Amino acid sequence: MIKYSGQTRILVAVDCIIFGFDGENYKLLLVQRGFAPERAKWSLMGGFIRPDETLEQAANRILKQLTGLENVYMEQLQAFSSPDRDPVERTIAVAFVALIDIHKYEKQLSKEYHAEWFPLKEMPHLIFDHEKMVELAKNSLRYKAAFHPILFELLPEKFTIPQLQALYEGLYDTTLDKRNFSRKLLSTGLLIKQADKDKESSKKGAFYYKLDQNRYLDDFQAFLNFIPKPDKFLINETTLN
Amino acid sequence: MIKYSGQTRILVAVDCIIFGFDGENYKLLLVQRGFAPERAKWSLMGGFIRPDETLEQAANRILKQLTGLENVYMEQLQAFSSPDRDPVERTIAVAFVALIDIHKYEKQLSKEYHAEWFPLKEMPHLIFDHEKMVELAKNSLRYKAAFHPILFELLPEKFTIPQLQALYEGLYDTTLDKRNFSRKLLSTGLLIKQADKDKESSKKGAFYYKLDQNRYLDDFQAFLNFIPKPDKFLINETTLN
DNA sequence: ATTTATAAGTGTTATTTTGACACAAAATTA
DNA sequence: TAATTTTGTGTCAAAATAACACTTATAAAT
């Protein structure tokens, strides 16, 4: 099925930047390589694309392979194509960002792939250009989350406003005024208050909320300005490359 | 230099969505294919990546090959990877968006590639998934331009406020209040007023402005809110796929 | 020389949004 | 029942936004 002559065919891989949030810190799901090169070093979960699948399908397959999870929020970040980024053979890697509710994959981490959650701030050194991918993913997440209700993907179905606030504060490494924050969040109309409370983290307890799924899908593209002056927290793209 | 065994190598191409603006309308630079498949149909300018270059280098090479231009604003849009998107042979295409000052490549359009500027609104049918690429590029441009001073890339070094307003109005297919628009633009501090006027489009003439290059580079990432309620003009991403 | 036509350029005000700020309520534990 | 801790909410001043109309400069026409 080779028909264009005189062209070089290249390996194409997918690498997944998988974010989670444990209520306290952002976490990154990494795997320890069991094979050369860079054996025993940490890396993003990845794999080569197959002849009959799209990059998106490959990313989902690879994520499922590791975590067993399906229907996860996932989006294409960027293609990385430095000719010598993989010392073994030229490989173009397309990075995908996945956001998962960490509770869905916390215990029984894959032994096969030697998977482990690392606090984003204590990330080990990664192989190839994977650290750059993570930096870019972090920046992209900060960008998107400032406008779009995307961080909900990191929380379980029921969550509290204080949890949500910790999520935003963690991403931008800042503190937010809780009165202004909850006013803004509630004014989106995306949240449905539940009757029950989460009593884990306080005596009083905090009311649970759920996402209004219909509005969530409709308003995903809406600009909601969750974060004041988001550019303060963003790294100039040119610096990242 | 093949070292990973049992994997399929794939053709990787770059396709360029090249936008211009003629003062009136957005234009798209297309080429007419001189070879099968889809001979004589219109398509984006593209080409295969070479063994020793990155995707970005390939995109710049291909753009230069067509237009002779270098140092053009260019950024990666997305990889398109449907296994059958190219009927001849599986090819993954990475789309790049380029913004050029149309005056730098208006006359002497490449005969070799049969290049032509089309008004974006009167785009012919394109081969493969190129129309989808253009849609996505348009949406991405609308998104970025709402916040970042990116559209200047489409104008010559010296430009007037009314030209700039036409540029924004064209992109969002809307009208803007010129008092509010110029106030907002001038308040960014990005523009340096020139002593001379453009007398092309009015008797009174409109003062030229130039970009303050230092500020431009510094503030590129800043959120400037050029367009009120930009989500009104954006297509939901899920609709685009 | 005067008038006319056309696009450029600018200022005010009401409304909305934002950001800064502090105290009361609920419930567990001492 | 008092103390502690976290949740939950209201006000007000400042800033940003959106709506709105008239004057100015100049070339072309009379």
Side-chain angles (χ1 to χ4, degrees):
Chain A
M1 141 85 182
I2 291 188
K3 303 233 187 98
Y4 285 112
S5 63
Q7 301 298 338
T8 308
R9 285 147 192 87
I10 304 174
L11 281 175
V12 178
V14 153
D15 286 309
C16 297
I17 298 112
I18 306 169
F19 288 117
F21 184 74
D22 67 1
E24 190 80 6
N25 291 298
Y26 276 77
K27 298 285 189 80
L28 191 59
L29 188 57
L30 300 173
V31 296
Q32 195 171 27
R33 281 169 78 91
F35 49 91
E38 309 268 19
R39 191 185 147 86
K41 287 216 181 154
W42 293 95
S43 85
L44 297 170
M45 179 69 182
F48 294 109
I49 189 175
R50 294 181 181 165
D52 57 341
E53 66 185 1
T54 64
L55 288 161
E56 284 71 20
Q57 286 164 348
N60 282 297
R61 169 175 59 76
I62 285 162
L63 184 74
K64 185 181 174 191
Q65 200 175 320
L66 178 66
T67 65
L69 299 174
E70 289 183 279
N71 298 316
V72 166
Y73 178 90
M74 175 97 85
E75 78 178 284
Q76 221 190 96
L77 179 66
Q78 211 183 86
F80 291 78
S81 58
S82 181
D84 53 1
R85 52 175 295 285
D86 185 322
V88 175
E89 177 178 346
R90 178 170 201 190
T91 306
I92 288 180
V94 179
F96 281 80
V97 178
L99 303 180
I100 76 179
D101 170 7
I102 201 171
H103 304 106
K104 291 188 176 156
Y105 184 64
E106 219 170 5
K107 355 195 151 184
Q108 287 283 104
L109 292 179
S110 168
K111 281 182 189 163
E112 186 184 346
Y113 297 103
H114 229 278
E116 205 168 301
W117 284 107
F118 283 86
L120 195 48
K121 288 176 183 163
E122 299 158 31
M123 179 177 79
H125 279 297
L126 304 181
I127 63 160
F128 303 169
D129 48 4
H130 287 195
E131 288 183 42
K132 196 168 135 188
M133 291 180 183
V134 173
E135 271 314 299
L136 213 70
K138 213 194 305 181
N139 209 52
S140 157
L141 188 58
R142 283 181 177 160
Y143 194 113
K144 296 224 158 176
F147 301 118
H148 307 295
I150 191 181
L151 297 186
F152 295 98
E153 302 287 346
L154 293 166
L155 293 177
E157 197 189 357
K158 292 194 324 187
F159 50 83
T160 68
I161 305 272
Q163 279 168 14
L164 206 43
Q165 185 169 346
L167 192 61
Y168 277 87
E169 292 183 337
L171 183 59
Y172 299 97
D173 207 1
T174 188
T175 55
L176 300 168
D177 182 277
K178 67 177 172 171
R179 290 158 291 190
N180 294 339
F181 181 80
S182 81
R183 171 159 43 103
K184 191 165 270 185
L185 257 291
L186 293 172
S187 78
T188 63
L190 287 171
L191 304 183
I192 303 172
K193 192 173 189 172
Q194 305 300 112
D196 51 336
K197 284 181 163 184
D198 165 40
K199 315 268 292 200
E200 293 286 304
S201 57
S202 79
K203 295 160 185 168
K204 181 176 177 180
F207 279 104
Y208 279 119
Y209 286 81
K210 280 189 184 176
L211 264 187
D212 183 330
Q213 284 299 332
N214 294 327
R215 284 196 187 226
Y216 178 56
L217 296 173
D218 289 350
D219 291 1
F220 194 82
Q221 199 68 358
F223 282 90
L224 298 167
N225 260 298
F226 292 111
I227 299 295
K229 307 231 167 70
D231 41 331
K232 274 199 310 189
F233 306 107
L234 293 171
I235 300 162
N236 198 308
E237 274 175 39
T238 55
T239 317
L240 283 174
N241 290 309
Chain B
M1 135 91 184
I2 291 187
K3 304 238 186 95
Y4 285 113
S5 63
Q7 301 298 339
T8 308
R9 287 150 193 86
I10 303 174
L11 281 175
V12 177
V14 153
D15 286 310
C16 297
I17 299 111
I18 306 168
F19 288 118
F21 183 73
D22 68 1
E24 190 81 4
N25 292 298
Y26 277 77
K27 299 284 190 78
L28 190 60
L29 188 58
L30 300 173
V31 297
Q32 195 172 27
R33 281 168 80 89
F35 49 91
E38 309 267 19
R39 192 185 147 86
K41 287 219 183 152
W42 293 95
S43 85
L44 297 170
M45 179 70 182
F48 294 109
I49 189 174
R50 293 181 182 165
D52 57 342
E53 66 184 1
T54 64
L55 288 161
E56 284 71 20
Q57 286 163 348
N60 282 298
R61 169 175 59 76
I62 286 163
L63 184 73
K64 185 180 174 194
Q65 198 174 321
L66 178 66
T67 64
L69 299 174
E70 289 183 281
N71 299 316
V72 166
Y73 177 91
M74 174 97 87
E75 78 178 284
Q76 219 189 96
L77 179 67
Q78 212 184 85
F80 291 78
S81 60
S82 181
D84 53 1
R85 51 175 297 284
D86 184 323
V88 175
E89 177 178 346
R90 178 169 201 190
T91 305
I92 288 179
V94 180
F96 281 80
V97 178
L99 304 181
I100 76 180
D101 169 7
I102 201 170
H103 305 107
K104 291 189 176 156
Y105 184 64
E106 220 170 3
K107 351 192 156 187
Q108 288 284 105
L109 292 178
S110 167
K111 279 181 189 163
E112 186 184 352
Y113 296 104
H114 230 278
E116 205 168 302
W117 284 106
F118 283 86
L120 195 48
K121 287 176 183 162
E122 297 158 31
M123 178 177 82
H125 279 298
L126 304 182
I127 62 159
F128 304 171
D129 48 4
H130 287 194
E131 288 183 41
K132 198 168 132 186
M133 292 180 183
V134 173
E135 271 313 299
L136 213 68
K138 212 194 307 182
N139 208 51
S140 158
L141 187 58
R142 284 181 176 161
Y143 194 112
K144 296 223 158 176
F147 300 118
H148 307 294
I150 191 181
L151 297 186
F152 294 96
E153 302 288 346
L154 293 166
L155 294 178
E157 198 190 353
K158 292 195 323 186
F159 50 83
T160 68
I161 305 272
Q163 278 168 17
L164 206 41
Q165 185 169 347
L167 191 62
Y168 277 87
E169 291 183 337
L171 183 58
Y172 299 97
D173 208 0
T174 187
T175 56
L176 301 168
D177 182 277
K178 66 175 172 172
R179 289 159 290 191
N180 295 339
F181 181 80
S182 81
R183 172 155 42 93
K184 190 164 272 183
L185 258 292
L186 293 172
S187 78
T188 63
L190 288 171
L191 303 184
I192 302 173
K193 192 172 186 172
Q194 305 301 111
D196 52 336
K197 284 180 163 185
D198 165 40
K199 315 268 293 202
E200 292 287 303
S201 56
S202 79
K203 295 160 184 170
K204 181 176 178 179
F207 279 104
Y208 280 119
Y209 286 81
K210 279 189 185 176
L211 263 187
D212 182 330
Q213 284 299 331
N214 293 327
R215 284 198 188 223
Y216 178 57
L217 296 173
D218 289 350
D219 291 1
F220 193 83
Q221 199 67 0
F223 282 88
L224 297 168
N225 260 298
F226 292 111
I227 298 295
K229 306 233 169 69
D231 41 332
K232 274 200 309 190
F233 306 107
L234 293 170
I235 299 162
N236 198 309
E237 275 175 37
T238 54
T239 317
L240 282 174
N241 290 309

